[in-house]
């Protein structure tokens, strides 16, 4: 149990669908992250929220929309995705503020866009 | 441009032997390095880390070595066990930043 949970674990969606990925952390952390992992590529940081404010947006297309209603929850809203968006989406959390930022990951959501 | 590189996509080692996983980085501003292990259908889990003020950090069977002049680090697993079979990611960061920069991973297989 890593203390970071993600739902759903698997998602298949069409290009016209709207869906959301959910992440919850039970570690008392104050920073949360979305990563994308595609085959044979490094984990790509998508978004960072620190103290519930978005502090990083790594040139992610607007069809991905994050939401962080509180320090324990993070959402990734998806709409009009493309087949190349199929990947493993990982959520992570950490305790920011003067640390070296060891991040704790959830199990990921395996997304397939048809 | 990849700042953290793991040039070996896979490694196969016999049980009981040493596994050595390598990682190179290009950004001299990195001052903290981490290794994560990932099993299929699970997220990466933190394994061990090292600060740039050290050249070695040991935790049980796992030792990480850092060579700052060569911008190279390695993870040694001794003795290797079948349960160590996983993908290992190297990551680098700077103090008080939110970013971890990951390598592409090395798949380790430990066979009996």
């Amino acid at each position: 149990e890593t203390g970071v949970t993600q739902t759903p674990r698997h998602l298949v969606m069409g290009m016209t669908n709207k869906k959301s990925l959910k992440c919850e952390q039970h570690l008392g952390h104050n920073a949360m992250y979305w990563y994308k992992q595609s085959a044979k590529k490094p984990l790509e940081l998508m978004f960072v929220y620190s103290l519930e404010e978005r502090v990083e947006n790594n040139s992610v297309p607007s069809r991905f929309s994050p939401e962080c209603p509180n320090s324990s929850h993070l959402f990734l809203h998806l709409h009009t995705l493309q087949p190349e968006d199929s990947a493993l989406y990982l959520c992570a959390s950490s305790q920011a503020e003067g640390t070296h930022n060891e991040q704790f990951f959830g199990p990921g959501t395996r997304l397939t866009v048809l | 441009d990849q700042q953290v590189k793991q040039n070996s996509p896979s490694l196969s080692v016999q049980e009981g032997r040493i596994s050595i996983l390598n990682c190179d980085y290009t950004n001299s501003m990195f001052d903290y390095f981490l290794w994560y292990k990932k099993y299929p259908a699970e997220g990466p889990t933190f394994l061990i880390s090292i600060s740039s003020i050290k050249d070695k950090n040991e935790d049980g069977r796992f030792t990480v070595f850092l060579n700052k002049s060569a911008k190279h680090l390695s993870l040694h697993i001794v003795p290797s066990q079948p349960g160590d079979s996983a993908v290992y990611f190297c990551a680098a960061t700077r103090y008080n930043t939110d970013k971890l920069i990951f390598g592409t991973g090395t798949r380790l297989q430990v066979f009996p």
Side-chain angles (χ1 to χ4, degrees), chain A residues 29-44:
Chain A
H29 290 160
N30 58 12
M32 297 186 77
Y33 311 79
W34 279 117
Y35 286 87
K36 176 183 177 182
Q37 187 184 15
S38 304
K40 299 183 181 177
K41 285 188 173 183
L43 273 72
E44 300 171 53

Side-chain angles (χ1 to χ4, degrees), chain A residues 35-95:
Chain A
Y35 286 87
K36 176 183 177 182
Q37 187 184 15
S38 304
K40 299 183 181 177
K41 285 188 173 183
L43 273 72
E44 300 171 53
L45 180 64
M46 300 174 71
F47 300 104
V48 180
Y49 277 83
S50 181
L51 300 173
E52 300 164 39
E53 288 190 15
R54 190 192 308 181
V55 297
E56 185 83 31
N57 175 351
N58 264 7
S59 303
V60 179
S62 59
R63 57 185 184 268
F64 295 91
S65 175
E67 179 190 359
C68 187
N70 56 61
S71 60
S72 299
H73 294 86
L74 184 66
F75 295 90
L76 187 63
H77 304 298
L78 316 171
H79 64 98
T80 59
L81 295 192
Q82 305 297 310
E84 59 265 28
D85 296 322
S86 299
L88 181 68
Y89 288 85
L90 291 160
C91 172
S93 70
S94 73
Q95 192 62 31

Side-chain angles (χ1 to χ4, degrees), chain A residues 9 56 98 100-103 106, chain B residues 32 36 41 43 95-96 98-99:
Chain A
R9 294 294 307 275
E56 185 83 31
H100 270 112
N101 194 21
E102 289 166 9
Q103 296 179 17
Chain B
Y32 196 71
Y36 281 82
Y95 182 79
N96 214 19
D98 294 311
K99 278 190 173 182

